[in-house]
C-alpha cells in the first residue's frame, strides 16, 4: 500500500530522522512510538502528504485513500453533528443533488417520447445505480451507528458542532474518518478525548479494519489490544518489529542484550588479535603474519549496539508553605448544568498530605468537582478552603491555554515573578527544553511537548495542594513514569482525576468513586478499590461490569461443566459464522469493486445477478445466525 524509502527530515539543520525505510501492507496495524518530539506526528503528516519531503520517497498504490486524524482540527460553524458527519460522503451527497435535479426535470416535462426525456431516464438509471453501489441507501444508518459507538446520544445529532467541546469535536472528526472507507488510517492520539466505552468500541473497529492503520498513542493497553506491529522512532532511526507494544519492548531488550554480548565477545577477539600483532611485529620472521592480522582487523565489521534515548525530564514539585490540617471541606455541594444535576449534596473533607484519586465514568462529575475546588465553577452548598492553602491546578486541556505565538522562553518569563525569573532556564532544562530549543514557538510543539511546558509553567507558582485532571494526556510513556515518581515524592496534598490504572497504582491512599451524582469513599489505593469493587481491571470499572462472583462451593459441578461445554460449543460456532461473514463480505466488496471498474463486463458474466443476490441473502442469513448465537452465549454468560 505504502512504500517509504530513504526518508529524511531535518529541522534547523538537525535531522529528526534520517534515511529510514519501511513498507505498509493491508492488515498492518502499526503502533508508532517514541519520545515527545521524536517525529511521530511529523511522520504521519508526511504519510498523509500534508508536508513536503526533504529527502527520500513515499510510493503509494494507485487510487489509494488515506484518512488522517490530526490533533488539531477546524470545523465550519453552523453544521449539526449529523451534517458534519455526512461530509464523509461527498460523492454520495453530490449524487443526491443530481438525483434531485433529474427528478425535478422529469416532473416538469411532458415530452415523454423525446430524446431529451429518454436521456434523463438513462441519467437517472446511471446515477441511481452509482448511488446504490456507493451505499447511498445505507450511509445515514452507518453514520448513526458510528456516532453512537463513539458516545453520542441521538438527541445530540441535530445540535450544532460549535456547542460541543474540543474533545467531542474530535470524536466527530474520528467518525468522519471511519465512515470514509479509507485504505489507510493515520491516527494521532485517537484515545485522548474518548471515554472507556468509546475506546473499546474503537479497538473493535480497528481490529476488524482490513486496510493499514498507523497509530500514535501513549496508551499501552490500547496499543496492545489493537496493534500487530510496532515502529519506534529513536535518535533519528527506526526499530520495526511485527509485535504489539509490550512484546516489542521485551524483544528489543533481548536483542540489545544479544548485541551487548556479541560486542563484548568481539572486543575480546579484537584485543587478542592486537596483542598478537604487537608480538609478531617485533620478529622479522612473523612480520607478514602481523600484516595479515592487521588486514583482517581492518575488514572486521564492528558490532554496534542500538542506541537508546534515555533523556527524561527532571521533575519535582516543591511545597510552598505548610497548610492547616484540613485542606478543604465541602458540605451539601451540588452542581447542575441546565436540568442535569451532576453533583448532589456532596460532603467531603480533604486532609493535609492525603493523596486522593477521583474515578468513575465520564460525565459523572469528577472534573466538575475539581474545578469547584480550585474556584473555576460556581455551585450550591458550602466549600471552606483551609488555612494557608495554595492551590495548583493542572486542567485536562491545560496545554490549550498556552499562547502559540510566544516562544517557550517568553511563555515562562511572562509567567514568572521577580523571585524565580532567574531560574526559568534551569526549569526549562529540567523539562528537556535546552539550548536553542527555548526559542521555538509554542505552535510548532507536539502535544506532549506542550504538556511538558504547561507542567514547567506550573512550577513558577507556589502551591501546597495539587489538583491534576488527566495530566498524562499526550505525555510519552517515559514522561508518564517521571511524573508519577514526582507525585509520589510530593509532600503536599494531591487530588488526581485519571482513568489510567498503571499511573494510579501506588500513587494514592484513598479513592472516591463518582456515580449518579454522589461519591463513595474507599480507604486504600487503586488496587484496594478494584478489589473491593470486584472488578477485573480499570476498564471494567468504567464500563460498570462487575467481576463474576466466585461460584458457591455447593453448586452442582456437573451442571457447571455442562454449561462450560455448551459455552465452548457456541463460541466455536460463533467463530465459524464470523469467518464465513468475513469471507462473504470480502466477496461482495470485490464484486462491487468490479462493478465500479467495468460495469458492462461484470454483469455479462453467466448468472451474475443470481450469484450476486444469492451472496447478499446468504450474508443476511449468516448475520441472523450470528445474532442468535450471540444472544444464546450472552444468556449463558
Amino acid at each position: 500500500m505504502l512504500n517509504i524509502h530513504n526518508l529524511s527530515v531535518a529541522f534547523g539543520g538537525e535531522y529528526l530522522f534520517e534515511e529510514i525505510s519501511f513498507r505498509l501492507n493491508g492488515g498492518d496495524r502499526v503502533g508508532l512510538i517514541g519520545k515527545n518530539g521524536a517525529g511521530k506526528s511529523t511522520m504521519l503528516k508526511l504519510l498523509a502528504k500534508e508536508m513536503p519531503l526533504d529527502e527520500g520517497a513515499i510510493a503509494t498504490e494507485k487510487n489509494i485513500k488515506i484518512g488522517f486524524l490530526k490533533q488539531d482540527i477546524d470545523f465550519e460553524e453552523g453544521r449539526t453533528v449529523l451534517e458534519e458527519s455526512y461530509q464523509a460522503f461527498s460523492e454520495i451527497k453530490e449524487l443526491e443533488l443530481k438525483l434531485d435535479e433529474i427528478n425535478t426535470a422529469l416532473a416538469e416535462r411532458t415530452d415523454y417520447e423525446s430524446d431529451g426525456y429518454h436521456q434523463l431516464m438513462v441519467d437517472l438509471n446511471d446515477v441511481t445505480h452509482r448511488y446504490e453501489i456507493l451505499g447511498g441507501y445505507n450511509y445515514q444508518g452507518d453514520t448513526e451507528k458510528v456516532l453512537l459507538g463513539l458516545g453520542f446520544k441521538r438527541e445530540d445529532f441535530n445540535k450544532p458542532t460549535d456547542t460541543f467541546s474540543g474533545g467531542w469535536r474530535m470524536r466527530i472528526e474520528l467518525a468522519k474518518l471511519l465512515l470514509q472507507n479509507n485504505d489507510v488510517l493515520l491516527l494521532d492520539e485517537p484515545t485522548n478525548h474518548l471515554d472507556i466505552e468509546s475506546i473499546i468500541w474503537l479497538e473493535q473497529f480497528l481490529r476488524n479494519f482490513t486496510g493499514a492503520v498507523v497509530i500514535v498513542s501513549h496508551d499501552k493497553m490500547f496499543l496492545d489490544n489493537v496493534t500487530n506491529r510496532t515502529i519506534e522512532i529513536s535518535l533519528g532511526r527506526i526499530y520495526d518489529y511485527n509485535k504489539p507494544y509490550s512484546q516489542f519492548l521485551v524483544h528489543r531488550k533481548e536483542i540489545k542484550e544479544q548485541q551487548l554480548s556479541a560486542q563484548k565477545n568481539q572486543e575480546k577477539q579484537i584485543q587478542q588479535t592486537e596483542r598478537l600483532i604487537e608480538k609478531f611485529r617485533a620478529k622479522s620472521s612473523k612480520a607478514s603474519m602481523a600484516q595479515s592480522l592487521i588486514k583482517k582487523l581492518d575488514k572486521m565489521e564492528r558490532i554496534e549496539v542500538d542506541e537508546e534515548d534515555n533523556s527524561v525530564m527532571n521533575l519535582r514539585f516543591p511545597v510552598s508553605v505548610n497548610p492547616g490540617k484540613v485542606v478543604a471541606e465541602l458540605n451539601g455541594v451540588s452542581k447542575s448544568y441546565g436540568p442535569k444535576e451532576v453533583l448532589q449534596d456532596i460532603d467531603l473533607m480533604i486532609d493535609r498530605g492525603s493523596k486522593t484519586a477521583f474515578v468513575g465514568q465520564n460525565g459523572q462529575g469528577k472534573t466538575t468537582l475539581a474545578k469547584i475546588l480550585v474556584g473555576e465553577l460556581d455551585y450550591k452548598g458550602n466549600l471552606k478552603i483551609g488555612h494557608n492553602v495554595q492551590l495548583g491546578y493542572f486542567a485536562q486541556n491545560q496545554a490549550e491555554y498556552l499562547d502559540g505565538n510566544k516562544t517557550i522562553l517568553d511563555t515562562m518569563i511572562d509567567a514568572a515573578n521577580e523571585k524565580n525569573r532567574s531560574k526559568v532556564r534551569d526549569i526549562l532544562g529540567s523539562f528537556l527544553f535546552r539550548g536553542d530549543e527555548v526559542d521555538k514557538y509554542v505552535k510548532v510543539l507536539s502535544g506532549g511537548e506542550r504538556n511538558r511546558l504547561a507542567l514547567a509553567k506550573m512550577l513558577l507558582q507556589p502551591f501546597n495542594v495539587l489538583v491534576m485532571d488527566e495530566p498524562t494526556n499526550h505525555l510519552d510513556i517515559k514522561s508518564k513514569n517521571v511524573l508519577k515518581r514526582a507525585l509520589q515524592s510530593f509532600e503536599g496534598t494531591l487530588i488526581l482525576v485519571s482513568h489510567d490504572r498503571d499511573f494510579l497504582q501506588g500513587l494514592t491512599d484513598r479513592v472516591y468513586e463518582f456515580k449518579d451524582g454522589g461519591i463513595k469513599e474507599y480507604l486504600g489505593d487503586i488496587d484496594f478499590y478494584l478489589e473491593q469493587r470486584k472488578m477485573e481491571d480499570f476498564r471494567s470499572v468504567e464500563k460498570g461490569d462487575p467481576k463474576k462472583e466466585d461460584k458457591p462451593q455447593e453448586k452442582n459441578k456437573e451442571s457447571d461443566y455442562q454449561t462450560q461445554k455448551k459455552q465452548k460449543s457456541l463460541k466455536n460456532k460463533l467463530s465459524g459464522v464470523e469467518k464465513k461473514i468475513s469471507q462473504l463480505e470480502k466477496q461482495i466488496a470485490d464484486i462491487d469493486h468490479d462493478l465500479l471498474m467495468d460495469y458492462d463486463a461484470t454483469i455479462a458474466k453467466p448468472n451474475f445477478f443470481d450469484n450476486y443476490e444469492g451472496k447478499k441473502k446468504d450474508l443476511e442469513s449468516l448475520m441472523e445466525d450470528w445474532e442468535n448465537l450471540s444472544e444464546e452465549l450472552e444468556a449463558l454468560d
Side-chain angles (χ1 to χ4, degrees):
M1 282 190 165
L2 288 176
N3 193 15
I4 294 86
H5 182 66
N6 285 343
L7 191 63
S8 299
V9 171
F11 289 108
E14 289 188 15
Y15 279 104
L16 195 58
F17 36 77
E18 186 175 8
E19 293 187 352
I20 62 175
S21 301
F22 60 94
R23 183 177 175 82
L24 286 178
N25 302 305
D28 282 347
R29 298 191 298 275
V30 179
L32 185 62
I33 66 168
K35 290 187 59 178
N36 293 137
K40 303 184 296 296
S41 294
T42 299
M43 175 64 76
L44 292 189
K45 289 174 184 175
L46 291 168
L47 296 178
K49 299 182 180 177
E50 293 209 352
M51 268 183 71
L53 299 175
D54 287 356
E55 300 172 34
I58 299 177
T60 61
E61 291 179 4
K62 191 177 179 182
N63 298 324
I64 199 167
K65 289 175 68 180
I66 299 175
F68 180 27
L69 180 73
K70 295 174 276 191
Q71 289 185 18
D72 302 313
I73 54 172
D74 293 315
F75 273 158
E76 184 178 311
E77 290 189 8
R79 289 180 183 147
T80 66
V81 172
L82 271 181
E83 288 169 344
E84 184 64 42
S85 301
Y86 289 159
Q87 298 305 305
F89 305 100
S90 53
E91 188 175 352
I92 288 177
K93 300 301 285 184
E94 287 173 11
L95 290 172
E96 283 183 341
L97 290 174
K98 284 185 182 177
L99 286 171
D100 285 342
E101 290 171 5
I102 294 170
N103 284 318
T104 300
L106 287 171
E108 290 173 350
R109 295 178 66 155
T110 56
D111 53 337
Y112 306 125
E113 302 300 324
S114 69
D115 290 342
Y117 193 88
H118 177 70
Q119 185 58 49
L120 281 174
M121 292 297 294
V122 172
D123 292 344
L124 179 64
N125 183 61
D126 291 344
V127 174
T128 301
H129 183 69
R130 177 71 178 165
Y131 185 76
E132 184 178 356
I133 286 176
L134 291 175
Y137 298 114
N138 302 320
Y139 80 94
Q140 292 178 335
D142 291 341
T143 301
E144 291 186 10
K145 281 181 195 173
V146 171
L147 288 173
L148 290 169
L150 289 172
F152 287 93
K153 296 175 182 174
R154 289 193 181 276
E155 53 264 36
D156 296 328
F157 289 175
N158 294 311
K159 292 179 182 176
T161 57
D162 51 7
T163 63
F164 289 86
S165 67
W168 283 96
R169 291 190 200 185
M170 185 67 80
R171 294 185 196 213
I172 300 170
E173 194 67 15
L174 180 57
K176 286 161 58 178
L177 203 66
L178 300 181
L179 289 163
Q180 283 169 350
N181 290 326
N182 292 295
D183 303 296
V184 179
L185 290 178
L186 308 174
L187 308 179
D188 198 355
E189 297 282 9
T191 64
N192 269 0
H193 301 288
L194 300 183
D195 59 32
I196 206 67
E197 289 89 346
S198 301
I199 290 173
I200 292 171
W201 182 91
L202 179 60
E203 285 177 354
Q204 186 64 38
F205 183 97
L206 294 176
R207 280 198 295 264
N208 294 331
F209 182 67
T210 55
V213 187
V214 182
I215 304 164
V216 172
S217 178
H218 301 124
D219 184 332
K220 291 188 286 186
M221 191 178 290
F222 181 73
L223 289 173
D224 281 338
N225 287 343
V226 172
T227 62
N228 54 20
R229 180 178 171 191
T230 301
I231 296 178
E232 180 185 20
I233 302 177
S234 178
L235 298 172
R237 295 181 60 190
I238 63 166
Y239 301 91
D240 184 358
Y241 297 103
N242 290 322
K243 295 178 182 295
Y245 177 72
S246 293
Q247 292 179 31
F248 163 81
L249 288 183
V250 173
H251 192 58
R252 273 273 275 135
K253 186 180 178 184
E254 289 172 352
I255 287 176
K256 188 171 182 183
E257 287 172 354
Q258 290 169 3
Q259 288 175 338
L260 284 167
S261 177
Q263 188 185 58
K264 193 175 178 181
N265 290 334
Q266 189 183 59
E267 283 297 323
K268 285 181 183 177
Q269 187 182 344
I270 290 169
Q271 289 171 10
Q272 187 178 358
T273 305
E274 286 174 342
R275 283 196 297 269
L276 285 173
I277 291 169
E278 289 302 314
K279 184 179 178 183
F280 292 156
R281 259 184 184 154
K283 299 178 181 178
S284 57
S285 60
K286 302 285 186 180
S288 61
M289 190 174 290
Q291 288 301 315
S292 176
L293 288 172
I294 289 170
K295 288 178 182 177
K296 180 183 175 183
L297 211 56
D298 288 340
K299 289 179 181 178
M300 184 181 290
E301 190 173 330
R302 303 298 170 103
I303 294 170
E304 292 184 1
V305 177
D306 292 342
E307 287 185 79
E308 283 190 52
D309 188 351
N310 291 314
S311 57
V312 292
M313 62 181 180
N314 178 23
L315 181 54
R316 180 174 166 269
F317 293 111
V319 174
S320 54
V321 293
N322 206 28
K325 188 176 179 182
V326 176
V327 166
E329 187 174 358
L330 294 84
N331 290 301
V333 169
S334 300
K335 176 63 182 176
S336 298
Y337 295 100
K340 185 179 179 182
E341 192 166 26
V342 179
L343 298 173
Q344 302 167 6
D345 294 324
I346 300 297
D347 295 328
L348 174 63
M349 185 179 290
I350 305 291
D351 298 323
R352 180 182 64 209
S354 60
K355 303 287 192 290
T356 304
F358 288 175
V359 303
Q361 290 179 319
N362 283 355
Q364 294 293 333
K366 305 184 299 295
T367 295
T368 296
L369 188 56
K371 287 184 175 180
I372 287 172
L373 283 167
V374 298
E376 287 205 357
L377 284 178
D378 57 358
Y379 56 91
K380 292 178 181 177
N382 297 306
L383 166 63
K384 183 181 178 183
I385 299 297
H387 176 65
N388 264 352
V389 167
Q390 295 178 326
L391 288 156
Y393 179 46
F394 189 93
Q396 197 172 131
N397 57 343
Q398 189 73 37
E400 293 176 16
Y401 294 117
L402 301 173
D403 186 344
N405 294 316
K406 287 184 180 179
T407 65
I408 294 171
L409 185 59
D410 288 341
T411 298
M412 291 290 284
I413 288 174
D414 291 347
N417 54 40
E418 290 299 325
K419 290 183 180 178
N420 55 29
R421 191 162 286 128
S422 61
K423 298 178 182 177
V424 159
R425 282 188 176 271
D426 290 336
I427 293 172
L428 284 173
S430 69
F431 280 81
L432 304 182
F433 297 115
R434 295 164 184 157
D436 294 339
E437 284 190 343
V438 300
D439 296 322
K440 281 184 180 179
Y441 283 95
V442 170
K443 61 187 174 186
V444 304
L445 300 180
S446 69
E449 287 172 322
R450 290 186 196 185
N451 251 27
R452 289 211 316 264
L453 178 57
L455 283 168
K457 189 179 170 187
M458 274 189 71
L459 298 187
L460 296 172
Q461 306 301 321
F463 56 80
N464 48 31
V465 177
L466 188 49
V467 181
M468 305 192 88
D469 190 358
E470 299 290 356
T472 59
N473 278 357
H474 298 294
L475 286 183
D476 61 59
I477 292 163
K478 285 184 179 177
S479 296
K480 274 189 189 183
N481 293 334
V482 171
L483 175 59
K484 181 174 179 177
R485 286 196 295 272
L487 293 175
Q488 283 171 327
S489 60
F490 177 53
E491 294 177 359
T493 307
L494 175 65
I495 298 169
L496 190 60
V497 180
S498 179
H499 295 304
D500 191 331
R501 180 187 173 183
D502 288 334
F503 184 69
L504 287 174
Q505 278 177 329
L507 194 51
T508 59
D509 53 28
R510 69 187 60 196
V511 174
Y512 286 97
E513 182 188 25
F514 286 63
K515 190 175 182 182
D516 299 330
I519 61 173
K520 184 176 179 182
E521 183 182 35
Y522 293 83
L523 292 172
D525 66 2
I526 196 69
D527 289 328
F528 172 78
Y529 161 69
L530 294 171
E531 183 184 331
Q532 292 296 304
R533 291 280 278 111
K534 296 189 177 176
M535 298 291 176
E536 291 179 354
D537 55 32
F538 205 54
R539 292 192 162 207
S540 57
V541 171
E542 295 203 319
K543 285 181 72 181
D545 298 334
K547 194 176 182 179
K548 292 172 188 174
E549 298 286 345
D550 291 335
K551 296 179 180 71
Q553 291 183 357
E554 61 269 23
K555 184 171 179 180
N556 187 296
K557 289 185 179 178
E558 178 61 27
S559 171
D560 191 45
Y561 170 73
Q562 291 300 331
T563 300
Q564 290 178 4
K565 189 176 177 183
K566 192 169 183 181
Q567 282 176 323
K568 187 175 180 181
S569 172
L570 285 170
K571 284 178 181 176
N572 289 337
K573 287 180 182 176
L574 195 64
S575 178
V577 170
E578 286 173 347
K579 188 176 180 181
K580 289 178 183 177
I581 288 172
S582 179
Q583 290 170 347
L584 263 180
E585 284 179 335
K586 187 179 184 305
Q587 290 171 14
I588 291 169
D590 289 342
I591 294 172
D592 289 339
H593 179 266
D594 292 342
L595 285 168
L596 283 172
M597 294 298 102
D598 193 341
Y599 178 76
D600 292 333
T602 304
I603 64 170
K605 292 177 182 177
N607 302 319
F608 168 76
F609 285 107
D610 289 342
N611 290 332
Y612 189 40
E613 291 303 317
K615 288 182 187 296
K616 285 186 174 181
K617 285 178 182 176
D618 289 344
L619 182 59
E620 284 179 17
S621 176
L622 283 169
M623 291 300 287
E624 286 180 14
D625 291 344
W626 182 89
E627 190 174 344
N628 292 334
L629 286 167
S630 296
E631 287 177 358
E632 197 174 344
L633 186 59
E634 190 176 333
L636 279 175
D637 288 339

